[in-house]
Amino acid sequence: MKFQLAVNMERIDDSYDMKDVARHTLEMVQIAEEGGFDIVWAAEHHALEMTIAPNPFQLLTWWSHETSTIRLGTAVATAAYWHPINLAGEAAFVDLISGGRLEFGIGSGAYQREFDRMRPGLKQSDAWRYMQEMLPAVRALWRGDYAHDGEYWSFPTSTSVPKPVQPEVPVWVAARSPITYDYAVREKCNVNCWPLTRPFAEAELYMRQLNEAIAKADNGWSPRFALMRHACLYDNDADRQEALNAIRRLLSQFENLFRNTGDVVNGFPKAIPLDELEGREQYDPAMLEENLMFGSPDTAIRKLKDYQALGVNEFIYYASMGLSHEAQQRSLRMFVKEVMPEFREAR
């Protein structure tokens, strides 16, 4: 099994200085590289302190100068916020400056709040159309001169400057719905998925959708398939409680964003009081501890083997969840030391 890290510059409140946030994020990337992680992913979000990533390519360029082997991915560049020429050039520059380490992840975007600011009038539910037009244009620009006349973008003959170092940049699509799985396999992309806090059955659903898409495409393409879960390892009750408190607080802020309540002050989404959420399945501590990559190293190994038996052979360790910097690093080091060797020996 291969392991990947998703980590954000994040602030849940203003108790951390931004310089400390940046330092911690880089240290997490370096711990992952030293521990043998394959890829580290940077997101794209705007005007939100909980994910400080206005341009994922800036983050990857920064990390590329402080690492040497770990591959560098966008998870994801939000297609509707970019122009194809701009996106192709930014991505290719990262590939150049990193020595050919780019993993290009593209997706539709998450929050209507962001679309209201970045692409006013566009519904998040329609943004997949932009992604499906964007990707072929970017790939064509990487190859050379290309003119585009589409539904959302039109431009005369142009090209990506610079060009990627890699002859074929690996492309990843964030997929949840059957239409996106079909598109990813048809376009010969790899797939990453995020079951949020849903149970193992959600991963089974995504695997079925992937297999159905492969059969439908019948083009010889077998994508890499990576599954992401929030992750925190602990070996005592105090650390367990810290992890559960952190993820519940974070999820209450996500709830605010998904509802698009507008209750965001200076970049910080207000947490919906947990007493308003009691009894709702997605916030139940026992459910969260079971469904997420939470628990002891032995518990994590058991869960990963269940995913491996399902056919998931790449796991994305999602570190950012409002935990203290010390707890995040302690958990990641524990994962590297006590979990990953089990899967190295099994390869």
Side-chain angles (χ1 to χ4, degrees), residues 5 7 25-33 40 63 67 70:
L5 175 70
V7 63
T25 305
L26 178 59
E27 287 175 353
M28 290 287 284
V29 172
Q30 292 172 328
I31 292 169
E33 178 175 65
V40 61
W63 295 344
T67 59
I70 198 165

Side-chain angles (χ1 to χ4, degrees), residues 5 9-10 22 35 39 78 93 108 111 134 148 178 180 216 224 230 296 344:
L5 175 70
M9 287 182 59
E10 66 166 356
I39 303 171
T78 304
F93 182 82
S108 301
Y111 310 129
M134 172 70 82
H148 185 80
T180 309
K216 188 183 300 183
R224 295 172 66 180
H230 277 105
S296 68
R344 291 196 193 100

Side-chain angles (χ1 to χ4, degrees), residues 17 54-55 57 72 209 214 252 314 319 334 338 341 345:
D17 183 272
N55 184 329
F57 301 107
L72 307 160
Q209 291 177 171
I214 291 171
S252 72
E314 307 205 24
M334 191 182 299
E338 301 188 38
E345 293 168 1

Side-chain angles (χ1 to χ4, degrees), residues 182 185 208-219 221:
D182 290 345
V185 177
R208 284 198 302 273
Q209 291 177 171
L210 175 66
N211 289 334
E212 289 168 2
I214 291 171
K216 188 183 300 183
D218 193 24
N219 60 359
W221 178 246

Side-chain angles (χ1 to χ4, degrees), residues 274-301:
L274 289 177
D275 59 7
E276 296 181 14
L277 304 171
E278 292 294 342
R280 296 185 59 173
E281 182 182 341
Q282 61 262 45
Y283 298 97
D284 177 69
M287 179 279 297
L288 293 170
E289 191 168 32
E290 176 58 30
N291 293 353
L292 305 182
M293 194 55 63
F294 277 29
S296 68
D298 285 345
T299 298
I301 290 169

Side-chain angles (χ1 to χ4, degrees), residues 45-300:
H45 285 289
H46 300 275
L48 293 170
E49 292 268 358
M50 63 194 299
T51 311
I52 305 161
N55 184 329
F57 301 107
Q58 285 184 311
L59 290 168
L60 298 184
T61 300
W62 168 39
W63 295 344
S64 77
H65 281 279
E66 302 293 340
T67 59
S68 58
T69 58
I70 198 165
R71 295 185 62 79
L72 307 160
T74 54
V76 293
T78 304
Y81 303 163
W82 292 83
H83 187 283
I85 297 172
N86 184 212
L87 184 56
E90 290 266 12
F93 182 82
V94 170
D95 200 50
L96 171 66
I97 209 71
S98 68
R101 287 190 277 154
L102 176 67
E103 301 277 328
F104 182 70
I106 188 168
S108 301
Y111 310 129
Q112 186 61 47
R113 181 181 193 275
E114 286 187 328
F115 284 98
D116 291 345
R117 289 152 179 80
M118 301 298 293
R119 288 300 300 253
L122 176 61
K123 292 182 179 179
Q124 187 277 338
S125 57
D126 292 331
W128 61 271
R129 302 176 189 277
Y130 286 73
M131 186 269 289
Q132 294 199 5
E133 182 176 329
M134 172 70 82
L135 180 56
V138 167
R139 280 174 155 168
L141 289 163
W142 283 340
R143 290 191 293 269
D145 279 341
Y146 169 73
H148 185 80
D149 183 16
E151 183 176 357
Y152 303 113
W153 298 280
S154 295
F155 51 86
T157 300
S158 187
T159 191
S160 173
V161 177
K163 299 290 192 300
V165 172
Q166 299 177 88
E168 290 289 337
V169 175
V171 174
W172 293 76
V173 169
R176 186 170 296 150
S177 66
I179 192 171
T180 309
Y181 280 93
D182 290 345
Y183 178 82
V185 177
R186 187 170 68 247
E187 295 295 322
K188 297 188 175 180
C189 301
N190 300 311
V191 174
N192 51 39
C193 70
W194 183 20
L196 301 173
T197 65
R198 294 166 185 162
F200 188 79
E202 189 78 1
E204 293 176 317
L205 170 64
Y206 294 159
M207 181 59 72
R208 284 198 302 273
Q209 291 177 171
L210 175 66
N211 289 334
E212 289 168 2
I214 291 171
K216 188 183 300 183
D218 193 24
N219 60 359
W221 178 246
S222 181
R224 295 172 66 180
F225 182 64
L227 180 140
M228 182 169 75
R229 287 287 199 183
H230 277 105
C232 186
L233 269 61
Y234 38 78
D235 55 12
N236 61 75
D237 192 63
D239 290 349
R240 171 183 177 272
Q241 198 58 54
E242 180 183 0
L244 289 171
N245 289 343
I247 190 64
R248 295 182 82 208
R249 180 182 183 188
L250 182 75
L251 290 171
S252 72
Q253 290 181 311
F254 271 119
E255 186 75 15
N256 180 329
L257 293 172
F258 281 122
R259 290 183 186 181
N260 199 24
T261 64
D263 200 1
V264 178
V265 178
N266 203 27
F268 294 106
K270 182 179 178 181
I272 297 174
L274 289 177
D275 59 7
E276 296 181 14
L277 304 171
E278 292 294 342
R280 296 185 59 173
E281 182 182 341
Q282 61 262 45
Y283 298 97
D284 177 69
M287 179 279 297
L288 293 170
E289 191 168 32
E290 176 58 30
N291 293 353
L292 305 182
M293 194 55 63
F294 277 29
S296 68
D298 285 345
T299 298

